[in-house]
Amino acid sequence: MKKLSTRIASLALLTSMSITLFAGCGSNGGTDADSSKSASSSNAAKSGPAVELTVEVFDRATPGYKADDNFQTKWIQENFGKPNNINVKFVPVLRQQEVEKLNVLMASNQAPDISFTYNDGIIYNYVKSGGLTDLGDLLKKNASNLTSYLGETLLNYGKFDGKQLAVPAKRVIEGCFSAYIRKDWLDAVGMSVPTTTDEWYQVMKAFKEKDPGKLGDKNYPFSTFVDPNNINWTTSMLLESFKKPISEEQRMTLPNWVIPGFKDGMKFLNKLYNEGILNPQFALDKDGKQYEKDVSQGRIGFMIHNYDYPIRVTPGLITELKKQVPGADMVPCDPFTNSEGKHPKMKYNPNGLYIIVPKASKHAEEAIKYLEWQSKPEVIKFLQNGIKGEQYTDEVDGIPANFIQNDQLPDAKKANYTDLSLIVNGKEFGDPTKNIQAASFGYPGFEDTFKKAYDISLTDAGYIPHFDTVIESQAKYQKALTDKESEIFVKSITCKPADFDKTYDKLVDEYMKSGGQEIVDEKLAALKK
């Protein structure tokens, strides 16, 4: 009998069965003497030819920053690689292409020794194909601190059919979504921050009709884009609010497209599109770059995204907005209400990304030693914060504060505060209050905005269920269904209102016949067991 849990599928947030999720930034520079001393291995460098350990790293296309060659990667080599006679080589993968790229690398047996993904569907595929190394014995032998730091409950998230096929990162911050609205536009039309769906709709109509930004046909009260790996990401809070109460069995098995009420949410998006409230160009944006440009140039009145997105993306969308549009500002809000008056949304599960070692790797032991080294508090602190006097100027109760934003740092000092600290997602100081305070320090000038948005992200938030064992049909049909989701999303929103029902029903029927129903049936069978 297979074990079943109700853990969230981290990158499957809000989409039906096969969606992905996200991470941090980048750097280059010097060495913190105290950290270097304490983080280095106590053993002398080993003799003989050095082993090359390849490690995946997200490339977020930060101007002037090399994801695979910076002061942090040099520090890693000096403090881990050199003492262990290992050359650590970082393999950059564009964040927006990470699923596609990792699939190609895995298929050709060229994936880095340490690879990772947030995507459950991808992991299921690799498990099913036998493409992952069982790390159980290696963890027992080489990673006592790491296993203690993560704990048995968290490590179980990486077990499939009893085998430790992934090391789950520890997620410090579980909040995911918030919305932001143009405060200057609200003031211009004489309205307040909306707190219900109807209030929000009235505000959006006012933004469209009164055009407070004087933008003409470039006035987009609301916008989204088509990320095939996160298709409903920037409409998530809206769509969640339309869902009807469902049974636990439905919650565990049904894709969003057929959950009662979800179609009504899509119909509302169709209405917004046809009324000119939703950006008419959204379907042309496949990677969110135009979306970012529209926000920073003042064309968008309202957005849904990660709770910290507009204050995190370097140099920060709101910061850039204020530069380009004098007097402009965006503030967090939580406008969408369901039939019970709540503000439902999804949040992350307690585990972050899945760290994996491909079966083709010849350096699984070195990989686990690297992750074990990363569990040292001084290593976590350095990789997540940089150097006092270079990336930040002060410390408050031992927490680094007053960070210097990357766009204000020379290229050699630009820092990646989260992507290189693989075993933990989020600032880690061992105490929830300190962790939130520490996280807010990463947004200089926006500390209060961060805290408000984070509070919103946890309001009425819940997890999506997750099966401990591989749902084979989910792995089998993931690619086809991901493509079909993009088609449903775009065609349902952009069709004429009179054609919505037949368009949506036809596409969802095709989705279910293309593997969706088989996944539902397999999950139902697992539940009955």
Side-chain angles (χ1 to χ4, degrees), residues 215-265:
L215 295 164
D217 61 358
K218 296 294 185 182
N219 167 33
Y220 309 140
F222 176 40
S223 193
T224 183
F225 64 93
V226 186
D227 180 348
N229 296 314
N230 301 288
I231 192 63
N232 293 331
W233 199 261
T234 49
T235 55
S236 56
M237 292 167 66
L238 184 155
L239 290 169
E240 283 296 302
S241 72
F242 278 87
K243 286 183 179 179
K244 305 281 194 253
I246 54 176
S247 68
E248 181 67 7
E249 182 178 277
Q250 289 175 311
R251 193 180 76 85
M252 292 291 291
T253 59
L254 295 181
N256 275 328
W257 308 110
V258 298
I259 288 177
F262 195 82
K263 177 181 175 181
D264 296 329

Side-chain angles (χ1 to χ4, degrees), residues 82-218:
K82 187 176 178 180
N84 290 285
N85 201 29
I86 294 172
N87 288 328
V88 184
K89 178 183 178 182
F90 290 90
V91 181
V93 174
L94 286 173
R95 178 64 182 94
Q96 294 290 346
Q97 300 174 9
E98 59 104 358
V99 171
E100 177 184 341
K101 181 66 172 179
L102 185 57
N103 275 337
V104 171
L105 292 171
M106 288 288 288
S108 60
N109 290 329
Q110 294 180 333
D113 299 308
I114 296 177
S115 297
F116 52 80
T117 182
Y118 286 100
N119 191 306
D120 277 28
I122 293 296
I123 288 293
Y124 290 164
N125 256 334
Y126 299 159
V127 171
K128 182 184 175 185
S129 65
L132 303 179
T133 301
D134 186 346
L135 304 172
D137 289 341
L138 288 171
L139 286 169
K140 291 177 183 177
K141 178 183 177 183
N142 299 299
S144 58
N145 289 333
L146 176 66
T147 53
S148 176
Y149 173 74
L150 296 177
E152 183 179 356
T153 299
L154 188 55
L155 282 169
N156 282 338
Y157 280 79
K159 284 187 177 179
F160 298 88
D161 296 327
K163 295 181 180 180
Q164 190 77 51
L165 299 179
V167 175
K170 179 180 181 180
R171 184 177 294 283
V172 175
I173 302 292
E174 292 187 3
C176 185
F177 294 106
S178 183
Y180 284 78
I181 195 165
R182 285 285 294 273
K183 181 65 169 63
D184 53 315
W185 283 15
L186 284 171
D187 293 341
V189 299
M191 302 179 82
S192 302
V193 175
T195 59
T196 68
T197 304
D198 183 63
E199 287 178 4
W200 177 82
Y201 176 61
Q202 298 304 321
V203 168
M204 292 300 104
K205 286 206 302 182
F207 282 179
K208 183 62 183 176
E209 294 165 2
K210 298 182 180 180
D211 190 11
K214 309 300 183 201
L215 295 164
D217 61 358
K218 296 294 185 182

Side-chain angles (χ1 to χ4, degrees), residues 455-501:
D455 284 344
I456 287 172
S457 75
L458 295 181
T459 300
D460 299 328
Y463 298 131
I464 283 178
H466 170 64
F467 289 82
D468 280 351
T469 189
V470 173
I471 301 299
E472 293 191 8
S473 53
Q474 187 167 339
K476 177 180 179 181
Y477 296 113
Q478 185 219 356
K479 177 62 169 69
L481 293 181
T482 297
D483 293 342
K484 182 60 70 174
E485 284 168 349
S486 295
E487 184 182 10
I488 297 172
F489 188 72
V490 172
K491 290 185 177 179
S492 296
I493 291 174
T494 59
C495 68
K496 295 179 180 179
D499 296 333
F500 174 82
D501 286 329

